[in-house]
mmCIF file of all heavy atoms in Angstrom:
data_model
loop_
_atom_site.group_PDB
_atom_site.id
_atom_site.type_symbol
_atom_site.label_atom_id
_atom_site.label_comp_id
_atom_site.label_asym_id
_atom_site.label_seq_id
_atom_site.Cartn_x
_atom_site.Cartn_y
_atom_site.Cartn_z
ATOM 1 N N PRO A 71 -8.220 -35.049 -9.353
ATOM 2 C CA PRO A 71 -7.470 -35.001 -8.114
ATOM 3 C C PRO A 71 -7.270 -36.384 -7.506
ATOM 4 O O PRO A 71 -8.165 -37.223 -7.540
ATOM 5 C CB PRO A 71 -8.347 -34.118 -7.204
ATOM 6 C CG PRO A 71 -9.729 -34.222 -7.785
ATOM 7 C CD PRO A 71 -9.541 -34.433 -9.253
ATOM 8 N N ALA A 103 11.337 -3.280 -13.147
ATOM 9 C CA ALA A 103 10.958 -1.886 -13.282
ATOM 10 C C ALA A 103 10.370 -1.609 -14.652
ATOM 11 O O ALA A 103 9.735 -0.588 -14.875
ATOM 12 C CB ALA A 103 12.178 -0.990 -13.064
ATOM 13 N N LEU A 177 -10.323 -16.221 14.222
ATOM 14 C CA LEU A 177 -9.905 -17.035 13.077
ATOM 15 C C LEU A 177 -10.969 -17.018 11.982
ATOM 16 O O LEU A 177 -10.644 -16.983 10.789
ATOM 17 C CB LEU A 177 -9.633 -18.469 13.523
ATOM 18 C CG LEU A 177 -8.380 -18.676 14.388
ATOM 19 C CD1 LEU A 177 -8.336 -20.103 14.915
ATOM 20 C CD2 LEU A 177 -7.123 -18.370 13.595
ATOM 21 N N LEU A 184 -9.402 -13.321 4.172
ATOM 22 C CA LEU A 184 -8.470 -13.971 3.252
ATOM 23 C C LEU A 184 -9.193 -14.636 2.086
ATOM 24 O O LEU A 184 -8.643 -14.746 0.982
ATOM 25 C CB LEU A 184 -7.633 -15.006 4.003
ATOM 26 C CG LEU A 184 -6.635 -14.439 5.016
ATOM 27 C CD1 LEU A 184 -6.074 -15.563 5.891
ATOM 28 C CD2 LEU A 184 -5.500 -13.698 4.324
ATOM 29 N N GLY A 200 -3.849 -24.875 13.804
ATOM 30 C CA GLY A 200 -4.394 -24.556 15.106
ATOM 31 C C GLY A 200 -5.793 -23.978 14.956
ATOM 32 O O GLY A 200 -6.182 -23.577 13.862
ATOM 33 N N ARG A 217 -7.592 -25.927 21.749
ATOM 34 C CA ARG A 217 -8.822 -26.646 22.077
ATOM 35 C C ARG A 217 -8.863 -27.955 21.300
ATOM 36 O O ARG A 217 -8.202 -28.106 20.281
ATOM 37 C CB ARG A 217 -10.057 -25.806 21.748
ATOM 38 C CG ARG A 217 -10.147 -25.381 20.292
ATOM 39 C CD ARG A 217 -11.472 -24.676 20.013
ATOM 40 N NE ARG A 217 -11.586 -23.413 20.698
ATOM 41 C CZ ARG A 217 -12.732 -22.814 20.998
ATOM 42 N NH1 ARG A 217 -13.875 -23.400 20.674
ATOM 43 N NH2 ARG A 217 -12.759 -21.652 21.609
ATOM 44 N N ASP A 220 -13.407 -30.241 18.208
ATOM 45 C CA ASP A 220 -14.845 -30.506 18.139
ATOM 46 C C ASP A 220 -15.298 -30.324 16.688
ATOM 47 O O ASP A 220 -15.051 -29.272 16.094
ATOM 48 C CB ASP A 220 -15.581 -29.526 19.053
ATOM 49 C CG ASP A 220 -17.074 -29.807 19.139
ATOM 50 O OD1 ASP A 220 -17.689 -30.062 18.084
ATOM 51 O OD2 ASP A 220 -17.633 -29.739 20.246
ATOM 52 N N LEU A 253 -14.602 -35.460 8.721
ATOM 53 C CA LEU A 253 -15.367 -34.291 8.282
ATOM 54 C C LEU A 253 -14.596 -33.485 7.250
ATOM 55 O O LEU A 253 -15.146 -33.079 6.216
ATOM 56 C CB LEU A 253 -15.703 -33.411 9.491
ATOM 57 C CG LEU A 253 -16.318 -32.033 9.193
ATOM 58 C CD1 LEU A 253 -17.656 -32.177 8.501
ATOM 59 C CD2 LEU A 253 -16.447 -31.227 10.471
ATOM 60 N N SER A 268 0.654 -37.879 18.968
ATOM 61 C CA SER A 268 0.053 -39.151 18.584
ATOM 62 C C SER A 268 1.053 -40.298 18.603
ATOM 63 O O SER A 268 2.253 -40.118 18.411
ATOM 64 C CB SER A 268 -0.547 -39.008 17.181
ATOM 65 O OG SER A 268 -1.181 -40.192 16.763
ATOM 66 N N ASP A 318 15.566 -25.301 5.953
ATOM 67 C CA ASP A 318 16.280 -24.056 6.263
ATOM 68 C C ASP A 318 17.573 -24.296 7.019
ATOM 69 O O ASP A 318 18.281 -23.353 7.370
ATOM 70 C CB ASP A 318 15.386 -23.102 7.053
ATOM 71 C CG ASP A 318 14.947 -23.671 8.400
ATOM 72 O OD1 ASP A 318 15.203 -24.867 8.673
ATOM 73 O OD2 ASP A 318 14.325 -22.921 9.185
ATOM 74 N N GLY A 335 10.314 -39.941 -1.356
ATOM 75 C CA GLY A 335 10.457 -39.626 -2.768
ATOM 76 C C GLY A 335 9.888 -38.259 -3.093
ATOM 77 O O GLY A 335 9.032 -37.738 -2.376
ATOM 78 N N ILE A 381 11.155 -22.569 18.610
ATOM 79 C CA ILE A 381 11.262 -22.091 17.231
ATOM 80 C C ILE A 381 9.878 -21.669 16.760
ATOM 81 O O ILE A 381 8.887 -22.382 16.965
ATOM 82 C CB ILE A 381 11.841 -23.175 16.312
ATOM 83 C CG1 ILE A 381 13.296 -23.464 16.698
ATOM 84 C CG2 ILE A 381 11.761 -22.759 14.851
ATOM 85 C CD1 ILE A 381 13.935 -24.570 15.892
ATOM 86 N N VAL A 396 19.892 -28.402 -3.497
ATOM 87 C CA VAL A 396 20.778 -28.843 -4.563
ATOM 88 C C VAL A 396 22.250 -28.755 -4.161
ATOM 89 O O VAL A 396 23.029 -29.680 -4.390
ATOM 90 C CB VAL A 396 20.518 -28.027 -5.845
ATOM 91 C CG1 VAL A 396 21.517 -28.385 -6.934
ATOM 92 C CG2 VAL A 396 19.092 -28.255 -6.340
#
Side-chain angles (χ1 to χ4, degrees):
L177 289 172
L184 292 169
R217 58 174 67 203
D220 185 316
L253 171 63
S268 182
D318 62 352
I381 294 177
V396 175

